[in-house]
Amino acid sequence: MKHVPELKDLVDDMPRFSDVLTTFAAKLQINLGEFHADHISVRCHQNTTAERWRAGLAKCGSLLNETLINGRPICLFTLDEPLTVGPLSIDLVELPYPGDKRYPHEGWEHIEIVLAGAEEELSARALALIADEALMTPGIKLKQSAPKGENERLPNPTLAVTDGSVTIKFHPHSLREIVASEREEG
């Protein structure tokens, strides 16, 4: 990734993201080293930026999947060499094209961790990992959602925890499992 001109801004943004992510995880009292990060995601404001990043990611990985979620393309790239993000090694990048929401920062935005188990118990599993006092800290927000791709057959609810500058999301299934479920014949 370091040698791909289209991704220079993302390479330059990684130290900032790693710092805010590890600081946020410490505030939540989550030891990131105990988990497998399923993927990392970027955010951008313009389709031209998304197209540039897409071209760059294609040079250092391969397109695993592209699907429409909430009316916008979401691309998943498997990297040839994993990214080091704090104590994590991540080989899957989620590139959502811009939607209506504007993010405070263009660049790396969140990681997602798989907490295997029943979908309906995801929130309880995730919240059990986070210190109670962290959940009461001003500025910490929780959001539950259930994004779904066009052909997705495997429910994958999300619990997102954010401080407004970085987000950690939890899912019961990996994106690779979700993609496989989309490709299964019914």
Side-chain angles (χ1 to χ4, degrees):
M1 193 177 271
K2 292 178 195 159
H3 307 292
V4 179
E6 294 91 342
L7 302 177
K8 181 177 183 335
D9 50 347
L10 290 178
V11 170
D12 292 347
D13 190 44
M14 184 54 77
R16 177 210 61 86
F17 181 76
S18 288
D19 287 348
V20 297
L21 177 66
T22 54
T23 300
F24 184 52
K27 186 185 294 185
L28 298 176
Q29 297 180 29
I30 293 175
N31 179 356
L32 290 176
E34 294 177 3
F35 299 96
H36 167 74
D38 179 57
H39 65 280
I40 186 170
S41 186
V42 295
R43 291 294 185 264
C44 62
H45 302 307
Q46 298 179 25
N47 284 340
T48 54
T49 303
E51 289 293 336
R52 177 172 51 83
W53 288 349
R54 180 182 182 136
L57 289 166
K59 290 181 180 180
C60 58
S62 58
L63 183 67
L64 173 67
N65 195 53
E66 180 175 356
T67 192
L68 284 178
I69 298 179
N70 297 328
R72 64 186 176 140
I74 308 285
C75 299
L76 298 174
F77 285 89
T78 302
L79 299 176
D80 297 335
E81 292 182 32
L83 295 170
T84 300
V85 186
L88 302 168
S89 179
I90 305 173
D91 70 347
L92 191 62
V93 175
E94 179 184 53
L95 169 61
Y97 276 64
D100 295 333
K101 184 175 180 183
R102 289 293 175 246
Y103 291 82
H105 177 81
E106 282 192 300
W108 302 110
E109 196 265 339
H110 72 260
I111 62 162
E112 300 197 23
I113 294 172
V114 173
L115 296 178
E119 291 95 1
E120 63 276 3
E121 297 170 2
L122 171 72
S123 291
R125 286 194 308 278
L127 290 172
L129 300 172
I130 302 168
D132 289 343
E133 59 270 19
L135 292 172
M136 295 184 292
T137 303
I140 303 290
K141 295 180 183 168
L142 301 175
K143 179 182 176 189
Q144 292 180 313
S145 63
K148 190 170 168 116
E150 300 175 277
N151 301 312
E152 204 169 293
R153 297 168 183 226
L154 193 60
N156 206 27
T158 302
L159 178 71
V161 185
T162 188
D163 66 358
S165 66
V166 66
T167 303
I168 299 174
K169 294 185 178 184
F170 299 94
H171 289 287
H173 303 288
S174 73
L175 285 183
R176 286 180 173 93
E177 290 173 308
I178 298 301
V179 168
S181 81
E182 292 174 352
R183 295 179 177 164
E184 286 177 1
E185 298 207 49

